[in-house]
Amino acid sequence: KLEKTLGYIKPDAVDKLGDVLEAISERGLLIAKMRLCKMTENDAFLFYQEHSGKSFMRDLLNYVTQGPVVAFELVGENAINRWRELIGPTDPSKARAEASTSLRARFGTDVTHNGFHGSDSPASASREIEFFFPSSGRNTLPNCV
Ligand code: CMP
């Protein structure tokens, strides 16, 4: 099934952009949209609102607001699962234990500082694409180029 998904490179992995573009291309996903954004605390809280009660929320907000992120809209057959396979398990140490060549295994640090995000369902993908690439062009996420 032809799908769209939202991926982004977290601040400490943005310098791996070239490797990420190579991995996306090798996997046969298409980058339909791409932008560099500096999320504010409020932006990050909205993006991760489903995790607002979790113990790791504070660390997560600090992490994803520490510098700019690179967001992509990816398109392809089963794009949601294919991008999630490409980035690997949430915890990079688990990814490395599996001898995975995933992006988190290669470039992630720990379960919070895992370098990459991918939408987990079609509903999340729609919401998250709209978050980074608002169709209305309204001022919903201003600190982007
Ligand atoms: P992400 O795919 O962006 O979705 C939620 C983020 O919370 C996750 O990647 C990690 O950066 C962070 N996180 C920190 N601890 C955990 C945890 N125990 N389980 C899931 N996500 C976590």
Side-chain angles (χ1 to χ4, degrees):
K1 168 161 168 288
L2 190 66
E3 287 178 335
K4 292 179 179 177
T5 193
L6 187 285
Y8 84 83
I9 310 178
K10 297 181 182 181
D12 61 340
V14 166
D15 65 337
K16 304 301 189 303
L17 177 62
D19 298 276
V20 176
L21 294 177
E22 191 176 8
I24 289 170
S25 163
E26 278 175 1
R27 198 72 183 77
L29 291 166
L30 288 179
I31 299 171
K33 296 176 184 171
M34 176 168 152
R35 70 194 312 199
L36 184 74
C37 295
K38 175 71 172 68
M39 284 198 276
T40 64
E41 168 102 7
N42 192 50
D43 296 330
F45 187 85
L46 278 175
F47 187 85
Y48 284 114
Q49 52 189 279
E50 67 193 282
H51 296 307
S52 62
K54 306 270 177 68
S55 59
F56 56 79
M57 185 64 166
R58 172 50 28 216
D59 288 345
L60 176 59
L61 296 184
N62 289 344
Y63 173 42
V64 301
T65 59
Q66 74 187 14
V69 306
V70 176
F72 308 96
E73 181 189 300
L74 299 170
V75 179
E77 283 295 316
N78 301 312
I80 294 171
N81 282 333
R82 287 170 69 199
W83 171 244
R84 285 173 68 82
E85 282 169 23
L86 197 52
I87 65 180
T90 302
D91 186 346
S93 53
K94 190 181 158 203
R96 284 188 280 270
E98 291 170 0
S100 158
T101 58
S102 67
L103 293 171
R104 283 169 171 161
R106 292 165 67 197
F107 305 126
T109 303
D110 59 40
V111 71
T112 295
H113 307 93
N114 61 1
F116 306 90
H117 172 82
S119 308
D120 64 4
S121 66
S124 309
S126 301
R127 183 182 75 83
E128 294 174 3
I129 289 167
E130 186 62 27
F131 180 89
F132 278 105
F133 303 101
S135 51
S136 61
R138 283 195 309 269
N139 192 28
T140 48
L141 190 61
N143 307 317
C144 297
V145 290

